[in-house]
Amino acid sequence: MLHRDRVKLPKYVYPPEEWRIVEKKFYPRLLEGSESIFSIGNGYLGLRGNFEEGAPVFQHGTFINGFYESWPIVYGELAFGFAKHGQTIVNAMDAKTLKLYVDDEPFFLPTANLIRFERVLDMRQGFLDRDILWETPAGKQVSIRSQRITSFVNRHLAAISYEVTVLNADAPVVISSEMFLARTIQPLPEDPRLARAFKEQILMPRLHVSRDRRILIGHQTKTSRMSCVCGVDHVIELESPWSSQTSASEYAGKVVFSINAKAGQPIRLVKFITYHTSHTSAAEELADRAQWSLDRALGRGFAAMQAGQKQYLDDFWQRSDLQVDMLHKEPERNLEVQQAIRFSLFHILQAAGRAEGAGVPAKGLTGHAYEGHYFWDMEIYVLPFLIYTSPQIAKNILMFRYSMLPKARQRAREVNQKGALFPWRTINGEEASAYYAAGTAQYHINADIIYALMKYVHATGDTDLLYNQGAEMLVETARLWNDLGFYSGRRQGRFCIQGVTGPDEYNTVVDNNTYTNLMARENLLYAVETVETLYERHPERFDQLVDRTQLSMQEVAEWKKAARQMYIPYDEEMGIHPQDDSFLDKEEWDFANTPSDKYPLLLHHHPLVIYRHRVIKQADMVLAMFLLSHVFSEADKRRNFDFYDPLTTGDSSLSVGIQSILAAELGYLDKALRYARYSVLMDLGDVGDNVRDGVHIASMGAVWMVFVCGFAGMRDYRGALTFDPHLSKRIASIRFQLTVFGRVLAVEMNQAAATYTLRQGEELKLRHQGDEICLTAEAPVVTVPIK
Amino acid sequence: MLHRDRVKLPKYVYPPEEWRIVEKKFYPRLLEGSESIFSIGNGYLGLRGNFEEGAPVFQHGTFINGFYESWPIVYGELAFGFAKHGQTIVNAMDAKTLKLYVDDEPFFLPTANLIRFERVLDMRQGFLDRDILWETPAGKQVSIRSQRITSFVNRHLAAISYEVTVLNADAPVVISSEMFLARTIQPLPEDPRLARAFKEQILMPRLHVSRDRRILIGHQTKTSRMSCVCGVDHVIELESPWSSQTSASEYAGKVVFSINAKAGQPIRLVKFITYHTSHTSAAEELADRAQWSLDRALGRGFAAMQAGQKQYLDDFWQRSDLQVDMLHKEPERNLEVQQAIRFSLFHILQAAGRAEGAGVPAKGLTGHAYEGHYFWDMEIYVLPFLIYTSPQIAKNILMFRYSMLPKARQRAREVNQKGALFPWRTINGEEASAYYAAGTAQYHINADIIYALMKYVHATGDTDLLYNQGAEMLVETARLWNDLGFYSGRRQGRFCIQGVTGPDEYNTVVDNNTYTNLMARENLLYAVETVETLYERHPERFDQLVDRTQLSMQEVAEWKKAARQMYIPYDEEMGIHPQDDSFLDKEEWDFANTPSDKYPLLLHHHPLVIYRHRVIKQADMVLAMFLLSHVFSEADKRRNFDFYDPLTTGDSSLSVGIQSILAAELGYLDKALRYARYSVLMDLGDVGDNVRDGVHIASMGAVWMVFVCGFAGMRDYRGALTFDPHLSKRIASIRFQLTVFGRVLAVEMNQAAATYTLRQGEELKLRHQGDEICLTAEAPVVTVPIK
């Protein structure tokens, strides 16, 4: 059950379209959420969907992945080993603003007489377009057309093309192109999911330069000592006379264009924007780099940028598109699903595409909720899609995770453990969770990372990464597990892991969380397997590994023993796996008397109240049954799902997608579809009532899995690709492509049959409902009935 | 076992004496601790043992019970119901300083040539004396004798008599009598047991007045809006000519006396000091009150103050003294015990005597560790001694606790519960614990308070307090328990209480903590009994109670059922009560490989590491066996003690005394004695290596119980006074008095016999080793052999 079911899905406001999100009217009440939805980004740079005019605005947002400030966490009561420094993504200089004045009257959306308004997120091409026809009080009709791009080709670059035409009269026009630091000081949040607000200015001025129509302003963060330079330059095209004035100071700059516009003659202004950030380089050096970026952008022009963007997106969609035809009697409802799926994939790309050296924040670069931190979402929710469609991006993320290993080793020491413990939430690799019960205690992140590594290696065959960085991570994570658990006399000598928190944050610091124990076992086994392979077959690499980790084979024997002896809770009487040792002993939550406005429970109940009840925030055992599907019999899965599903509030957006996948597998197709709908509309339908704070990237990753792993029934444990379709009667067809071992597999399913096509590569084996299928270059297409 | 055994007891530095703590030399290395040990106070006002000269100093300390500042607790990650405001006792204006200059050279202890140095805490009379003979570099011999008093008669008053005599020459003498605000800004503490340091000034100036030799300075705290006025005035007696100069500003004032001293002629200066504080009155009104206090003090003079103090202490010792003769072959070791016992009782009086409207802070008024907060220590550790020796003080404390009831009701709402939940730590009645696992989760404080109430009522017969305030507290605490627990199908329908922390803070947020369940049952039963008595026999009072609490008798039936069905964990196989549901499943702590410098564990291990191991901070089950002795058979007690004692680190000073009592009861007399020694020397021997932060008032309360309840074997469950002596062979005799129901019972025990004497009152029944003894006014003395 999803107790949020009681909350009706908000009205869907963006008309269904194949490739675009369209806003046909200016809706003040949607302002907050649409800033997130119309965000554009490239994984490095993210611009919230603020209007060019700078107002009205909910939150000016310009985020650079990994550009953060740190601060000492102050604890009311400190204890040994608590995380020491918080980290928060910084809201960088805003360079999106272009204020427009006609007859010296400002164009201001809420009061303007709009004859036409259309805003379009063009997911096919990667543009944010706006088209407005404004009638001034003096009766002048002004066409305003803009296009905003954050470039996937040059990740430091964004641009806004802004075209103004006074259609029916001559008029003096002023365009003020600005950049400034939004100094909004927000109160400290009551909602723990939001970000910290700094009370004082954290960006220290380092430089400001202006020349012609170019401005550069540089800052350094006060504590983390990161530098950031923002630069803008402009190209203006028009026949009428114009002049411009440029000014800049420490926190603001502007270029003001004054034009005597002729009726019907367009004013074409392009604003190029660049950001450069660094831990090590000074602002002066970044300013040089910004100059080069702007020089190059001006040299190539806006059209080239458009073309590059389009080509990047062509490639992306060609590899990654997921097409779903629903059978709803209203065609619009079908389109709605397709649109939302593409919206999800597009936003994942915007969050991860050019992250390079950074991770994927929980909200991507669309808002600063969760402080711009990287969590396990990255590995468990986002990577599956990327591994099978953009393996290079997946690799970058794993390499970034690997770069945290030294700090993870240090963190393990801080919590009195051997090996490495990856941070529950972080930007710079240090643990930033100030609440260990739903933070540091989530040791499962170690196993989650290894799980993603394993999936990546099996899908790509990239043993190079496995034998190098992977092996080192495997050794250190296995060490952690082996040190953390113990052989319990009270459990017949089984290996128990106590005092941990699983994925479900409504049950914290528990003993033998089944998910954790299962995933830790997997982690240990993969470490054993990898190290043994190196030892037996790659002695040089093995020596390198020993050199880096001081590994002894005795340790490997211990890991093997711990994995074999791992305790997996099971209740014989109920035939289910308890979520943890004490879960079944808890008092039942009184769902019947919990009004819908008391969800999410965490915002209305003291943690102790939640913890002492049998209630679940998000899929935990159900997630284990998805990730480690082969461990469970179908009967087991059914009993577990039937038990856990009604206890799950879905107070986390990470939950409902996974529940949908298991429901599909078990043939609960109506439920699977209902959950899928929540998952698909998480942001566009604002299911969680918090899209204003940013879109839910992990949930978007789950959307892909809902169709590929849920309805199309794909599993890939240890690289064995299997499909066991469970198409709901309301799904006409599903089509997607997977990149596996450099080969490209196209999958198409409908109610009757599945067609597997090898688009690229020599040979590929898979199983369809248990039967092996071998695709070859000679016989690349196989169509099989769905039983 | 006490794992601190490995830490040798520090050398005992104060020579054993019956009634005094004497420092024969100025020991710079003891400066920090001796400031705590030589603290004087009266329960309202506490002055740390800083030297008159103001330096050297570890911590200027002037504490007024309940004078606190509050501040919003900032959580790295906030959650619903977390305590909102911290509270910290404020270090008030320091008025202890009297700087001395001879020939314009300052007297500075560390460099002075001291011919004589003696500092004496006179516990018999309640004075702090110092006697110094200083030879200046010019060869002048200067006698400096001072006496410091914090008055028990007028709790707003302190005084310092300061007598200087230049013995062998004439000399210009300057005495600068100062008051100032110690602005020490300390770094935020790494040790969670210490107090918060404020980064900014929290005392806002409100007034400063000076006239003749009188100064008044008033402040108001920034956030809690409490006012405090400190006033001083001086009387000087001497034959030589002198002059004085007085000055005052917002944060400091001084009166400087210049004297042409004649050889051999004493200069006698008395500095009277007064403090007035208020939540409601403005500084101006407090200044008036301070003027009156000073006028009165000057009018009566220092000798009257001495006499009043002496009389108050006469009364106290007559009622409260505990005499123990040890049989150590070195008489000094025997005296050492007697001295330390009196030191404990004296400091309890100093912490509680005139608290009136405030509680007993963990460190009394000797330091600001634990922020000056009141904990359960007050009820469980300090009250037993006071109930049986100073019932009026005990009553004041219970009335103060009752005054928190409205906030406790509100707190229960904040954590989604019915009834009332008293704060785990507080000054103003609001929960101030920023770490719920070892704070709010300690619901047992409710039952602890009720336990103390019950003990008080049974020892005094004060049914008035029971039927009024007591009944209201009983109703609200019973409501909380009834709401908190549930009837568990998995426990045969027993009433279970989950997600709580017991006294042992090394195992937090556990299910069915045996201590909590037992104490909650007691709480419920006493509520049932009291309400039923009112219902049946005092209908008017019952109506009042219903009026105040909207009680229905249906609730009482529910409480009865919950108490009857209360689940008490018991492990059949081991024959012990597990501390909680998961305690026995935990990994054993590797004591053998824990070096002594890793204790207390909490300063060297992440909480998660401690929580997942079978290791105990402080007596928990063992405490239950003391408080609810009648519930357990002797065999049960022995098995439990044998199991828990080796797991107990004693990292809390609350533990070892209780362990001693149970060891005595079970006949482990060597162990009982060893634990007693640790308990007795907690502060004078600096067992915890932290006496610098203040003395351990709760542990001092335990000292009294160690002898009265441990070796003398007194129990008093529900007012049935029983004695079952277990005198160690090394104890010659124990003598003490108890005030019971207005009667006075003197008890004397030696190796052969016990003598019970009714000193006051008509009749008193008690049991000695199972046999009833009835003392009457006619036959007030009974001597019985100890079997």
Side-chain angles (χ1 to χ4, degrees), chain A residues 78 192 416 435-436 498 612, chain B residues 78 192 435-436 498 606 612:
Chain A
L78 182 68
N416 314 98
Y435 180 56
Y436 70 79
Q498 314 221 143
R612 74 167 65 92
Chain B
L78 182 68
Y435 181 57
Y436 69 78
Q498 315 223 139
H606 193 284
R612 73 168 64 94

Side-chain angles (χ1 to χ4, degrees), chain A residues 74 76-82 189-190 192 415-417 425 433-436 441 443 484-486 490-491 498-499 509 511 571 582 584-587 602-609 611-612, chain B residues 74 76-82 189-190 192 415-417 425 433-437 441 443 484 486 490-491 498-499 509 511 571 582 584-587 602-609 611-612:
Chain A
V74 178
E77 274 176 76
L78 182 68
F80 182 88
F82 276 12
E190 284 286 314
V415 297
N416 314 98
Q417 301 295 353
R425 52 190 301 171
S433 161
Y435 180 56
Y436 70 79
Y443 295 84
L484 188 67
F486 76 112
R490 308 251 308 176
R491 301 281 185 203
Q498 314 221 143
V509 193
D511 297 337
D571 187 280
S582 62
L584 298 180
D585 292 336
K586 296 192 173 177
E587 185 174 2
L602 68 93
L603 292 189
H604 305 279
H605 300 85
H606 192 284
L608 283 166
V609 175
Y611 297 168
R612 74 167 65 92
Chain B
V74 178
E77 275 177 75
L78 182 68
F80 182 88
F82 275 12
E190 284 285 314
V415 298
N416 314 96
Q417 301 294 352
R425 51 189 304 172
S433 162
Y435 181 57
Y436 69 78
Y443 294 84
L484 188 67
F486 76 112
R490 308 254 306 175
R491 301 279 186 204
Q498 315 223 139
V509 194
D511 297 338
D571 187 280
S582 63
L584 298 179
D585 292 335
K586 296 193 174 178
E587 185 174 3
L602 67 95
L603 293 188
H604 305 279
H605 300 86
H606 193 284
L608 284 165
V609 175
Y611 297 167
R612 73 168 64 94

